[in-house]
Amino acid sequence: MKNRLKVLRAERDWSQADLADRLEVSRQTINAIETGKYDPSLPLAFKIGRLFGLPIETIFDDAQA
Amino acid sequence: MTTAASHPGRGARRLILAGLGLIFGGGLGFAVGRLIKSGVLNADGLGWSDLAAAAIAACLLAIGLIIGLASFSRKATGRMIDASEARPATAGQQSFYRQQAIVLALAGVMMAAPVAAVALLGEIPETMGIIVMLGIVAVFLVQTACNLTVWRRGDELMRQIISETGAVCFWVLQGLLFLWAAAEKLGLAPALSAWDIMTILMGFYLVISSLMSIRRGMA
């Protein structure tokens, strides 16, 4: 699944580790999501949406799924 | 500032790790060879699964030792988490890595203990067998508790990798075990001992676990 996590993170000048701390996951998890190697669970996707103040569907795109 | 020039690249790090592995493996091989030559260890009574289990145990102990030692340094733990950022790890991250090191090292101890007992004592007296077995059960209980804590403290990606590894191992090995058992029943394959099967399972689990980690970008 494609996502805009890297762009949203860069807009806030956060590192992967910064975002990982805010979401209470490991830095590897952020990297895996950004590179499309892992699709987050629904609770984590909601958490990401709340953190960026955006609806989930504007962050994640399942068109390629 | 973190630059490519100030820290060794991925290739250099792999070379360093390979070098450390060679030194550890060479040292261990030399020590075991000397013990066999001097008659302290008796390798004659050991089968292929004993030797494979000893090799797996050595790997687990070495990895556990390296991670365990690194976990005492905030900087080294930070490098294990993210080599590119090299941000010092928090106390929580240090203890998490230390716990994983304990799990690995204890797994190594448990795998090595029965083989070491046979290699050292040859024919094991019943009392000694019971003592070794009680020690293994005690280590097993501690290791299981540590394993559960690692699962609880891990995030969802880590749990996903553990779950997928378990699922693949069960799916593949139950099929292979059935086929082998059928062939054995029909007199087409030699019988396997419980230790043989355990060694195959453990080796397969470690390979699949590594592949799953690479697939999810963890390695």
Side-chain angles (χ1 to χ4, degrees):
Chain A
M1 196 189 297
K2 281 184 173 177
N3 65 75
R4 295 173 52 223
L5 211 57
K6 195 173 181 177
V7 175
L8 293 168
R9 181 171 62 76
E11 283 172 2
R12 284 153 185 83
D13 202 21
W14 291 345
S15 66
Q16 287 186 342
D18 293 332
L19 182 57
D21 288 346
R22 286 176 162 86
L23 294 170
E24 295 173 309
V25 294
S26 65
R27 203 275 311 165
Q28 289 96 329
T29 300
I30 301 300
N31 186 56
I33 295 171
E34 284 186 358
T35 52
K37 288 176 176 166
Y38 175 66
D39 293 332
S41 67
L42 208 48
L44 181 57
F46 272 110
K47 210 170 176 180
I48 292 168
R50 274 196 299 274
L51 181 68
F52 289 113
L54 294 167
I56 291 175
E57 60 270 26
T58 63
I59 302 173
F60 297 96
D61 177 15
D62 67 344
Q64 299 290 316
Chain B
M1 194 170 79
T2 306
T3 62
S6 61
H7 294 298
R10 204 173 217 200
R13 277 199 306 276
R14 284 184 176 163
L15 271 176
I16 292 167
L17 287 173
L20 286 173
L22 278 173
I23 293 166
F24 181 84
L28 188 70
F30 180 76
V32 171
R34 288 298 292 261
L35 286 172
I36 290 172
K37 241 181 175 176
S38 63
V40 177
L41 286 179
N42 180 15
D44 293 341
L46 301 179
W48 66 267
S49 56
D50 294 320
L51 298 173
I56 293 170
C59 287
L60 290 168
L61 281 167
I63 298 167
L65 192 69
I66 290 167
I67 296 175
L69 287 174
S71 74
F72 283 98
S73 155
R74 288 185 64 198
K75 214 172 161 186
T77 310
R79 285 255 165 82
M80 283 195 291
I81 296 167
D82 187 353
S84 60
E85 280 199 21
R87 190 163 89 156
T90 62
Q93 288 169 327
Q94 278 182 284
S95 81
F96 186 53
Y97 271 79
R98 205 168 300 141
Q99 207 153 25
Q100 289 183 65
I102 292 168
V103 167
L104 288 167
L106 291 182
V109 168
M110 280 192 292
M111 278 199 84
V115 180
V118 172
L120 282 168
L121 304 170
E123 198 76 12
I124 302 172
E126 194 181 348
T127 317
M128 187 55 80
I130 290 168
I131 291 168
V132 174
M133 192 62 214
L134 284 174
I136 290 171
V137 170
V139 174
F140 176 79
L141 290 174
V142 174
Q143 203 251 5
T144 301
C146 287
N147 240 332
L148 287 171
T149 314
V150 166
W151 169 272
R152 215 164 46 84
R153 291 179 71 184
D155 70 350
E156 61 174 59
L157 176 63
M158 189 176 196
R159 289 181 194 166
Q160 177 85 4
I161 290 169
I162 296 171
S163 302
E164 284 176 352
T165 302
V168 170
C169 285
F170 173 76
W171 189 74
V172 173
L173 291 175
Q174 61 86 27
L176 290 177
L177 182 62
F178 165 74
L179 291 174
W180 191 277
E184 189 186 312
K185 202 64 148 169
L186 296 167
L188 301 171
L192 291 176
S193 70
W195 188 256
D196 294 339
I197 295 169
M198 188 284 304
T199 305
I200 293 168
L201 191 149
M202 198 64 191
F204 190 76
Y205 181 87
L206 290 174
V207 171
I208 296 299
S209 167
S210 304
L211 290 177
M212 288 296 171
S213 298
I214 291 167
R215 182 170 165 256
R216 296 291 187 187
M218 290 276 275

